[in-house]
């Protein structure tokens, strides 16, 4: 009989690609993870991992077992959800990991709605960039992620996650006030090919979106100034340090006196935001109301 706890460890190793990283995510020691993996190999009678200097990779047998692990773990999540439903699930805490604008746009309004309609359900919110929240959910450190599509993100068909689309928004160009290219109602990104740019750090999903938008316009942006804080990005643009692309919702409530904001002509960068829970847990009587509240808060936000 295969121990499902060892399947969770196998999945963590597959996600993190090293025993050390998987151990940290599971709050275990690397030796404990290695022992559990060895035991799993003995249980199955197959070598599941190839261990190398740069980490571990799954064997063909390991990939087969991983596919079953996704199904088994999802079914265990459903079992917990059904038991919670039996117990009525009227009280409890749900942890939501979300990026800053997502907290402002959907998490905070959802929390207010839940406080009125489900007073026994408490939200615990963690600030996490768009590419950080999904690993927190997969590792069990959060129940729900509010995340964005990004290069390398788990797809909608990922067997580990159940997703709920929330909203999509375009990026607007932010220019210094008085910039000669800010006269018209729109701007063409190609006109800024020789301009200094301000943008998020590599690794931030919005960094990839800025690069892709500029690539489609035929150039690589000269990113001179880097910040993950859009207020800082706008302030630098207002100081004449360069131009930037900023998600439209992030501009709400900002001091834009020293800047000009213009939509982009042609294909524009778009940030697509979704909520995700571990597959099988999406109907949990505490998690389902939060997903519904997030979707309700997102209604009408799309700008693309």
């Amino acid at each position: 009989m295969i121990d499902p706890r060892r399947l969770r460890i196998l999945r963590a190793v597959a996600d993190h690609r090293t025993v050390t990283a998987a151990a940290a995510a599971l709050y275990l020691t690397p030796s404990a993870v290695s022992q559990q993996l060895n035991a799993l190999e003995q249980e199955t009678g197959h070598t599941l991992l190839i261990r190398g200097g740069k980490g571990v990779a799954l064997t063909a047998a390991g990939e087969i077992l991983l596919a079953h692990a996704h199904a088994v773990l999802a079914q265990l999540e459903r079992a917990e959800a059904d038991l919670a439903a039996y117990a009525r699930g009227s009280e409890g805490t749900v942890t939501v990991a979300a990026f800053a604008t997502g907290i402002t746009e959907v998490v905070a309004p959802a929390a207010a709605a839940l406080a009125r309609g489900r007073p026994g359900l408490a939200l615990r919110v963690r600030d996490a960039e768009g590419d950080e929240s999904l690993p927190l959910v997969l590792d069990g450190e959060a129940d729900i992620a509010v995340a964005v599509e990004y290069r390398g993100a788990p797809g909608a068909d990922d067997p580990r996650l159940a997703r709920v689309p929330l909203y999509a928004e375009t990026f607007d160009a932010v220019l210094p006030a008085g910039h000669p290219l800010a006269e018209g109602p729109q701007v063409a990104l190609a006109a800024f090919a020789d301009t200094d740019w301000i943008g998020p750090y590599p690794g931030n999903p919005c960094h990839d979106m800025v690069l892709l938008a500029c690539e489609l316009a035929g150039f690589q942006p000269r990113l001179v100034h880097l910040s993950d804080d859009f207020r800082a990005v706008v302030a630098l643009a207002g100081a004449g340090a360069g131009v930037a692309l900023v998600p439209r919702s992030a501009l709400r409530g900002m001091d834009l006196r020293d800047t000009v904001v213009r939509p982009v002509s042609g294909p524009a960068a778009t940030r697509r935001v979704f909520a995700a829970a571990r597959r099988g847990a999406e109907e949990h009587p505490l998690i389902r109301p939060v997903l519904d509240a997030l979707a309700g808060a997102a209604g009408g936000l799309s700008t693309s």
Side-chain angles (χ1 to χ4, degrees):
M1 179 70 70
I2 297 174
D3 189 332
R5 292 172 297 179
R6 291 173 182 149
L7 294 180
R8 193 177 299 278
I9 290 173
L10 178 69
R11 186 162 82 174
V13 171
D15 285 343
H16 294 280
R17 297 297 178 184
T18 70
V19 168
T20 300
L26 296 171
Y27 297 99
L28 298 172
T29 64
S31 61
V33 169
S34 294
Q35 289 171 7
Q36 292 299 316
L37 291 172
N38 289 336
L40 184 59
E41 289 183 326
Q42 291 176 6
E43 285 176 344
T44 61
H46 291 278
T47 299
L48 303 174
L49 300 170
I50 301 171
R51 296 162 175 84
K54 294 184 178 180
V56 296
L58 269 62
T59 64
E63 293 286 358
I64 291 171
L65 185 59
L66 180 64
H68 287 285
H70 294 327
V72 169
L73 295 174
Q75 191 61 43
L76 288 174
E77 294 280 1
R78 293 187 189 98
E80 291 184 6
D82 287 346
L83 288 171
Y86 176 76
R88 296 188 179 276
S90 59
E91 295 186 1
T93 300
V94 174
T95 301
V96 179
F99 57 101
T101 310
I103 293 172
T104 301
E105 294 296 314
V106 294
V107 178
L114 289 166
R116 294 189 298 269
R118 292 290 302 268
L121 195 163
L123 285 191
R124 180 182 293 120
V125 180
R126 293 186 56 168
D127 190 329
E129 283 298 334
D131 58 338
E132 296 173 348
S133 57
L134 294 176
L136 290 174
V137 168
L138 291 172
D139 291 339
E141 295 186 48
D143 301 301
I144 295 173
V146 175
V148 300
E149 298 284 4
Y150 61 92
R151 194 175 301 173
D157 59 348
D158 190 291
R160 301 169 298 172
L161 296 167
R163 299 185 4 163
V164 176
L166 294 179
Y167 64 95
E169 62 176 332
T170 54
F171 284 56
D172 289 325
V174 181
L175 320 174
H179 194 286
L181 294 176
E183 297 297 327
Q186 296 180 321
V187 295
L189 288 186
F192 303 106
D194 296 324
T195 302
D196 288 346
W197 279 74
I198 312 153
Y201 279 97
N204 185 316
C206 290
H207 177 90
D208 287 345
M209 295 172 196
V210 171
L211 291 185
L212 178 59
C214 293
E215 287 171 7
L216 291 174
F219 70 99
Q220 291 281 340
R222 189 168 66 233
L223 278 165
V224 175
H225 310 287
L226 297 172
S227 175
D228 287 333
D229 185 336
F230 284 120
R231 292 186 181 276
V233 169
V234 169
L236 286 169
V243 301
L245 286 175
V246 177
R248 192 164 291 174
S249 67
L251 294 170
R252 295 192 188 110
M254 281 198 193
D255 182 355
L256 301 172
R257 287 175 295 177
D258 296 325
T259 64
V260 174
V261 178
R262 292 288 183 268
V264 175
S265 62
T270 301
R271 177 161 72 171
R272 303 190 183 280
V273 182
F274 62 92
R278 290 182 297 278
R279 189 171 295 276
E282 69 271 22
E283 296 304 327
H284 189 288
L286 292 177
I287 292 176
R288 182 77 258 170
V290 179
L291 291 173
D292 290 343
L294 291 169
L301 287 179
S302 290
T303 62
S304 63

PDB file of all heavy atoms in Angstrom, residues 266-293:
ATOM      1  N   GLY A 266      -2.397  49.638 -30.932  1.00  0.00           N
ATOM      2  CA  GLY A 266      -2.014  48.292 -31.335  1.00  0.00           C
ATOM      3  C   GLY A 266      -2.142  47.317 -30.179  1.00  0.00           C
ATOM      4  O   GLY A 266      -2.743  47.613 -29.146  1.00  0.00           O
ATOM      5  N   PRO A 267      -1.556  46.111 -30.320  1.00  0.00           N
ATOM      6  CA  PRO A 267      -1.649  45.109 -29.253  1.00  0.00           C
ATOM      7  C   PRO A 267      -1.043  45.642 -27.959  1.00  0.00           C
ATOM      8  O   PRO A 267       0.079  46.159 -27.953  1.00  0.00           O
ATOM      9  CB  PRO A 267      -0.834  43.925 -29.793  1.00  0.00           C
ATOM     10  CG  PRO A 267      -0.803  44.125 -31.278  1.00  0.00           C
ATOM     11  CD  PRO A 267      -0.801  45.609 -31.491  1.00  0.00           C
ATOM     12  N   ALA A 268      -1.788  45.543 -26.871  1.00  0.00           N
ATOM     13  CA  ALA A 268      -1.323  46.054 -25.585  1.00  0.00           C
ATOM     14  C   ALA A 268      -1.044  44.902 -24.632  1.00  0.00           C
ATOM     15  O   ALA A 268      -1.653  43.832 -24.734  1.00  0.00           O
ATOM     16  CB  ALA A 268      -2.376  46.990 -24.972  1.00  0.00           C
ATOM     17  N   ALA A 269      -0.109  45.134 -23.710  1.00  0.00           N
ATOM     18  CA  ALA A 269       0.134  44.146 -22.660  1.00  0.00           C
ATOM     19  C   ALA A 269      -1.121  44.014 -21.807  1.00  0.00           C
ATOM     20  O   ALA A 269      -1.793  45.003 -21.510  1.00  0.00           O
ATOM     21  CB  ALA A 269       1.324  44.586 -21.811  1.00  0.00           C
ATOM     22  N   THR A 270      -1.429  42.789 -21.428  1.00  0.00           N
ATOM     23  CA  THR A 270      -2.627  42.517 -20.642  1.00  0.00           C
ATOM     24  C   THR A 270      -2.272  41.625 -19.467  1.00  0.00           C
ATOM     25  O   THR A 270      -1.576  40.619 -19.618  1.00  0.00           O
ATOM     26  CB  THR A 270      -3.708  41.824 -21.496  1.00  0.00           C
ATOM     27  OG1 THR A 270      -4.037  42.662 -22.607  1.00  0.00           O
ATOM     28  CG2 THR A 270      -4.958  41.564 -20.679  1.00  0.00           C
ATOM     29  N   ARG A 271      -2.761  42.007 -18.301  1.00  0.00           N
ATOM     30  CA  ARG A 271      -2.563  41.190 -17.100  1.00  0.00           C
ATOM     31  C   ARG A 271      -3.851  40.427 -16.812  1.00  0.00           C
ATOM     32  O   ARG A 271      -4.897  41.020 -16.583  1.00  0.00           O
ATOM     33  CB  ARG A 271      -2.187  42.073 -15.903  1.00  0.00           C
ATOM     34  CG  ARG A 271      -2.037  41.302 -14.620  1.00  0.00           C
ATOM     35  CD  ARG A 271      -1.244  42.041 -13.571  1.00  0.00           C
ATOM     36  NE  ARG A 271      -1.942  43.172 -12.984  1.00  0.00           N
ATOM     37  CZ  ARG A 271      -1.490  43.855 -11.929  1.00  0.00           C
ATOM     38  NH1 ARG A 271      -0.324  43.532 -11.383  1.00  0.00           N
ATOM     39  NH2 ARG A 271      -2.168  44.872 -11.437  1.00  0.00           N
ATOM     40  N   ARG A 272      -3.776  39.093 -16.854  1.00  0.00           N
ATOM     41  CA  ARG A 272      -4.943  38.253 -16.610  1.00  0.00           C
ATOM     42  C   ARG A 272      -4.836  37.665 -15.203  1.00  0.00           C
ATOM     43  O   ARG A 272      -3.868  36.987 -14.875  1.00  0.00           O
ATOM     44  CB  ARG A 272      -5.052  37.154 -17.666  1.00  0.00           C
ATOM     45  CG  ARG A 272      -5.123  37.724 -19.073  1.00  0.00           C
ATOM     46  CD  ARG A 272      -5.462  36.699 -20.125  1.00  0.00           C
ATOM     47  NE  ARG A 272      -5.436  37.321 -21.447  1.00  0.00           N
ATOM     48  CZ  ARG A 272      -6.420  38.058 -21.945  1.00  0.00           C
ATOM     49  NH1 ARG A 272      -7.521  38.240 -21.235  1.00  0.00           N
ATOM     50  NH2 ARG A 272      -6.314  38.595 -23.148  1.00  0.00           N
ATOM     51  N   VAL A 273      -5.841  37.936 -14.403  1.00  0.00           N
ATOM     52  CA  VAL A 273      -5.820  37.610 -12.980  1.00  0.00           C
ATOM     53  C   VAL A 273      -6.822  36.494 -12.710  1.00  0.00           C
ATOM     54  O   VAL A 273      -7.938  36.499 -13.243  1.00  0.00           O
ATOM     55  CB  VAL A 273      -6.164  38.851 -12.136  1.00  0.00           C
ATOM     56  CG1 VAL A 273      -6.086  38.529 -10.642  1.00  0.00           C
ATOM     57  CG2 VAL A 273      -5.212  40.010 -12.472  1.00  0.00           C
ATOM     58  N   PHE A 274      -6.423  35.539 -11.902  1.00  0.00           N
ATOM     59  CA  PHE A 274      -7.303  34.430 -11.552  1.00  0.00           C
ATOM     60  C   PHE A 274      -7.088  34.033 -10.100  1.00  0.00           C
ATOM     61  O   PHE A 274      -6.069  34.387  -9.482  1.00  0.00           O
ATOM     62  CB  PHE A 274      -7.062  33.230 -12.477  1.00  0.00           C
ATOM     63  CG  PHE A 274      -5.676  32.653 -12.388  1.00  0.00           C
ATOM     64  CD1 PHE A 274      -5.379  31.612 -11.527  1.00  0.00           C
ATOM     65  CD2 PHE A 274      -4.654  33.152 -13.198  1.00  0.00           C
ATOM     66  CE1 PHE A 274      -4.104  31.080 -11.446  1.00  0.00           C
ATOM     67  CE2 PHE A 274      -3.367  32.626 -13.134  1.00  0.00           C
ATOM     68  CZ  PHE A 274      -3.095  31.583 -12.252  1.00  0.00           C
ATOM     69  N   ALA A 275      -8.058  33.319  -9.544  1.00  0.00           N
ATOM     70  CA  ALA A 275      -7.911  32.714  -8.224  1.00  0.00           C
ATOM     71  C   ALA A 275      -7.715  31.217  -8.402  1.00  0.00           C
ATOM     72  O   ALA A 275      -8.228  30.624  -9.353  1.00  0.00           O
ATOM     73  CB  ALA A 275      -9.142  32.988  -7.363  1.00  0.00           C
ATOM     74  N   ALA A 276      -6.977  30.615  -7.496  1.00  0.00           N
ATOM     75  CA  ALA A 276      -6.716  29.175  -7.592  1.00  0.00           C
ATOM     76  C   ALA A 276      -6.675  28.559  -6.205  1.00  0.00           C
ATOM     77  O   ALA A 276      -6.194  29.169  -5.248  1.00  0.00           O
ATOM     78  CB  ALA A 276      -5.398  28.920  -8.321  1.00  0.00           C
ATOM     79  N   ALA A 277      -7.210  27.354  -6.125  1.00  0.00           N
ATOM     80  CA  ALA A 277      -7.124  26.533  -4.914  1.00  0.00           C
ATOM     81  C   ALA A 277      -6.634  25.157  -5.316  1.00  0.00           C
ATOM     82  O   ALA A 277      -6.629  24.802  -6.495  1.00  0.00           O
ATOM     83  CB  ALA A 277      -8.501  26.427  -4.243  1.00  0.00           C
ATOM     84  N   ARG A 278      -6.182  24.392  -4.355  1.00  0.00           N
ATOM     85  CA  ARG A 278      -5.770  23.019  -4.671  1.00  0.00           C
ATOM     86  C   ARG A 278      -6.970  22.251  -5.220  1.00  0.00           C
ATOM     87  O   ARG A 278      -8.083  22.352  -4.685  1.00  0.00           O
ATOM     88  CB  ARG A 278      -5.204  22.335  -3.421  1.00  0.00           C
ATOM     89  CG  ARG A 278      -3.857  22.874  -2.973  1.00  0.00           C
ATOM     90  CD  ARG A 278      -3.311  22.129  -1.765  1.00  0.00           C
ATOM     91  NE  ARG A 278      -4.171  22.299  -0.604  1.00  0.00           N
ATOM     92  CZ  ARG A 278      -4.143  23.360   0.193  1.00  0.00           C
ATOM     93  NH1 ARG A 278      -3.316  24.369  -0.043  1.00  0.00           N
ATOM     94  NH2 ARG A 278      -4.950  23.430   1.242  1.00  0.00           N
ATOM     95  N   ARG A 279      -6.741  21.513  -6.291  1.00  0.00           N
ATOM     96  CA  ARG A 279      -7.841  20.785  -6.913  1.00  0.00           C
ATOM     97  C   ARG A 279      -8.439  19.797  -5.910  1.00  0.00           C
ATOM     98  O   ARG A 279      -7.733  19.064  -5.230  1.00  0.00           O
ATOM     99  CB  ARG A 279      -7.354  20.043  -8.166  1.00  0.00           C
ATOM    100  CG  ARG A 279      -8.496  19.453  -8.980  1.00  0.00           C
ATOM    101  CD  ARG A 279      -8.011  18.928 -10.306  1.00  0.00           C
ATOM    102  NE  ARG A 279      -7.500  19.982 -11.190  1.00  0.00           N
ATOM    103  CZ  ARG A 279      -8.266  20.734 -11.971  1.00  0.00           C
ATOM    104  NH1 ARG A 279      -9.584  20.583 -11.957  1.00  0.00           N
ATOM    105  NH2 ARG A 279      -7.719  21.646 -12.755  1.00  0.00           N
ATOM    106  N   GLY A 280      -9.743  19.803  -5.855  1.00  0.00           N
ATOM    107  CA  GLY A 280     -10.457  18.993  -4.887  1.00  0.00           C
ATOM    108  C   GLY A 280     -10.914  19.788  -3.685  1.00  0.00           C
ATOM    109  O   GLY A 280     -11.874  19.413  -3.017  1.00  0.00           O
ATOM    110  N   ALA A 281     -10.236  20.913  -3.412  1.00  0.00           N
ATOM    111  CA  ALA A 281     -10.594  21.741  -2.259  1.00  0.00           C
ATOM    112  C   ALA A 281     -11.510  22.897  -2.641  1.00  0.00           C
ATOM    113  O   ALA A 281     -12.002  23.596  -1.759  1.00  0.00           O
ATOM    114  CB  ALA A 281      -9.336  22.297  -1.601  1.00  0.00           C
ATOM    115  N   GLU A 282     -11.764  23.063  -3.946  1.00  0.00           N
ATOM    116  CA  GLU A 282     -12.523  24.242  -4.375  1.00  0.00           C
ATOM    117  C   GLU A 282     -13.968  24.233  -3.891  1.00  0.00           C
ATOM    118  O   GLU A 282     -14.613  25.288  -3.827  1.00  0.00           O
ATOM    119  CB  GLU A 282     -12.469  24.390  -5.902  1.00  0.00           C
ATOM    120  CG  GLU A 282     -13.206  23.334  -6.685  1.00  0.00           C
ATOM    121  CD  GLU A 282     -12.351  22.126  -7.015  1.00  0.00           C
ATOM    122  OE1 GLU A 282     -11.336  21.902  -6.304  1.00  0.00           O
ATOM    123  OE2 GLU A 282     -12.695  21.400  -7.974  1.00  0.00           O
ATOM    124  N   GLU A 283     -14.513  23.060  -3.520  1.00  0.00           N
ATOM    125  CA  GLU A 283     -15.879  23.000  -3.013  1.00  0.00           C
ATOM    126  C   GLU A 283     -15.933  22.896  -1.493  1.00  0.00           C
ATOM    127  O   GLU A 283     -16.997  22.669  -0.926  1.00  0.00           O
ATOM    128  CB  GLU A 283     -16.621  21.821  -3.647  1.00  0.00           C
ATOM    129  CG  GLU A 283     -16.804  21.942  -5.152  1.00  0.00           C
ATOM    130  CD  GLU A 283     -17.520  23.228  -5.554  1.00  0.00           C
ATOM    131  OE1 GLU A 283     -18.382  23.705  -4.790  1.00  0.00           O
ATOM    132  OE2 GLU A 283     -17.217  23.757  -6.642  1.00  0.00           O
ATOM    133  N   HIS A 284     -14.809  23.065  -0.838  1.00  0.00           N
ATOM    134  CA  HIS A 284     -14.798  23.087   0.630  1.00  0.00           C
ATOM    135  C   HIS A 284     -15.726  24.204   1.095  1.00  0.00           C
ATOM    136  O   HIS A 284     -15.738  25.299   0.527  1.00  0.00           O
ATOM    137  CB  HIS A 284     -13.368  23.334   1.120  1.00  0.00           C
ATOM    138  CG  HIS A 284     -13.178  23.176   2.582  1.00  0.00           C
ATOM    139  ND1 HIS A 284     -13.660  24.070   3.511  1.00  0.00           N
ATOM    140  CD2 HIS A 284     -12.547  22.200   3.298  1.00  0.00           C
ATOM    141  CE1 HIS A 284     -13.329  23.680   4.718  1.00  0.00           C
ATOM    142  NE2 HIS A 284     -12.657  22.542   4.629  1.00  0.00           N
ATOM    143  N   PRO A 285     -16.550  23.966   2.127  1.00  0.00           N
ATOM    144  CA  PRO A 285     -17.533  24.974   2.534  1.00  0.00           C
ATOM    145  C   PRO A 285     -16.945  26.271   3.064  1.00  0.00           C
ATOM    146  O   PRO A 285     -17.684  27.248   3.227  1.00  0.00           O
ATOM    147  CB  PRO A 285     -18.352  24.258   3.614  1.00  0.00           C
ATOM    148  CG  PRO A 285     -17.489  23.147   4.086  1.00  0.00           C
ATOM    149  CD  PRO A 285     -16.680  22.723   2.903  1.00  0.00           C
ATOM    150  N   LEU A 286     -15.658  26.305   3.347  1.00  0.00           N
ATOM    151  CA  LEU A 286     -15.022  27.570   3.690  1.00  0.00           C
ATOM    152  C   LEU A 286     -14.367  28.215   2.474  1.00  0.00           C
ATOM    153  O   LEU A 286     -14.350  29.440   2.348  1.00  0.00           O
ATOM    154  CB  LEU A 286     -13.975  27.357   4.786  1.00  0.00           C
ATOM    155  CG  LEU A 286     -14.507  26.955   6.161  1.00  0.00           C
ATOM    156  CD1 LEU A 286     -13.348  26.708   7.116  1.00  0.00           C
ATOM    157  CD2 LEU A 286     -15.445  28.013   6.728  1.00  0.00           C
ATOM    158  N   ILE A 287     -13.819  27.395   1.582  1.00  0.00           N
ATOM    159  CA  ILE A 287     -13.094  27.930   0.427  1.00  0.00           C
ATOM    160  C   ILE A 287     -14.041  28.382  -0.674  1.00  0.00           C
ATOM    161  O   ILE A 287     -13.838  29.421  -1.312  1.00  0.00           O
ATOM    162  CB  ILE A 287     -12.083  26.881  -0.085  1.00  0.00           C
ATOM    163  CG1 ILE A 287     -10.980  26.699   0.967  1.00  0.00           C
ATOM    164  CG2 ILE A 287     -11.497  27.285  -1.433  1.00  0.00           C
ATOM    165  CD1 ILE A 287      -9.974  25.625   0.638  1.00  0.00           C
ATOM    166  N   ARG A 288     -15.131  27.628  -0.916  1.00  0.00           N
ATOM    167  CA  ARG A 288     -16.060  28.005  -1.996  1.00  0.00           C
ATOM    168  C   ARG A 288     -16.633  29.412  -1.814  1.00  0.00           C
ATOM    169  O   ARG A 288     -16.665  30.186  -2.775  1.00  0.00           O
ATOM    170  CB  ARG A 288     -17.204  26.983  -2.039  1.00  0.00           C
ATOM    171  CG  ARG A 288     -18.235  27.210  -3.154  1.00  0.00           C
ATOM    172  CD  ARG A 288     -17.669  26.750  -4.464  1.00  0.00           C
ATOM    173  NE  ARG A 288     -17.201  27.839  -5.300  1.00  0.00           N
ATOM    174  CZ  ARG A 288     -16.500  27.665  -6.404  1.00  0.00           C
ATOM    175  NH1 ARG A 288     -16.161  26.453  -6.795  1.00  0.00           N
ATOM    176  NH2 ARG A 288     -16.096  28.683  -7.109  1.00  0.00           N
ATOM    177  N   PRO A 289     -17.066  29.805  -0.609  1.00  0.00           N
ATOM    178  CA  PRO A 289     -17.577  31.169  -0.457  1.00  0.00           C
ATOM    179  C   PRO A 289     -16.530  32.240  -0.738  1.00  0.00           C
ATOM    180  O   PRO A 289     -16.862  33.315  -1.246  1.00  0.00           O
ATOM    181  CB  PRO A 289     -18.036  31.225   1.005  1.00  0.00           C
ATOM    182  CG  PRO A 289     -18.275  29.813   1.390  1.00  0.00           C
ATOM    183  CD  PRO A 289     -17.269  29.013   0.617  1.00  0.00           C
ATOM    184  N   VAL A 290     -15.268  31.948  -0.419  1.00  0.00           N
ATOM    185  CA  VAL A 290     -14.225  32.931  -0.681  1.00  0.00           C
ATOM    186  C   VAL A 290     -13.987  33.064  -2.185  1.00  0.00           C
ATOM    187  O   VAL A 290     -13.857  34.174  -2.709  1.00  0.00           O
ATOM    188  CB  VAL A 290     -12.917  32.553   0.053  1.00  0.00           C
ATOM    189  CG1 VAL A 290     -11.820  33.573  -0.253  1.00  0.00           C
ATOM    190  CG2 VAL A 290     -13.162  32.477   1.560  1.00  0.00           C
ATOM    191  N   LEU A 291     -13.943  31.947  -2.892  1.00  0.00           N
ATOM    192  CA  LEU A 291     -13.794  32.004  -4.350  1.00  0.00           C
ATOM    193  C   LEU A 291     -14.951  32.772  -4.980  1.00  0.00           C
ATOM    194  O   LEU A 291     -14.750  33.601  -5.878  1.00  0.00           O
ATOM    195  CB  LEU A 291     -13.715  30.594  -4.929  1.00  0.00           C
ATOM    196  CG  LEU A 291     -12.455  29.780  -4.609  1.00  0.00           C
ATOM    197  CD1 LEU A 291     -12.609  28.353  -5.103  1.00  0.00           C
ATOM    198  CD2 LEU A 291     -11.221  30.431  -5.218  1.00  0.00           C
ATOM    199  N   ASP A 292     -16.167  32.521  -4.490  1.00  0.00           N
ATOM    200  CA  ASP A 292     -17.330  33.231  -5.034  1.00  0.00           C
ATOM    201  C   ASP A 292     -17.253  34.723  -4.719  1.00  0.00           C
ATOM    202  O   ASP A 292     -17.609  35.561  -5.560  1.00  0.00           O
ATOM    203  CB  ASP A 292     -18.620  32.637  -4.457  1.00  0.00           C
ATOM    204  CG  ASP A 292     -18.907  31.231  -4.982  1.00  0.00           C
ATOM    205  OD1 ASP A 292     -18.312  30.851  -6.015  1.00  0.00           O
ATOM    206  OD2 ASP A 292     -19.718  30.523  -4.360  1.00  0.00           O
ATOM    207  N   ALA A 293     -16.803  35.061  -3.518  1.00  0.00           N
ATOM    208  CA  ALA A 293     -16.692  36.477  -3.148  1.00  0.00           C
ATOM    209  C   ALA A 293     -15.625  37.179  -3.981  1.00  0.00           C
ATOM    210  O   ALA A 293     -15.796  38.340  -4.383  1.00  0.00           O
ATOM    211  CB  ALA A 293     -16.374  36.606  -1.656  1.00  0.00           C
TER     212      ALA A 293
END
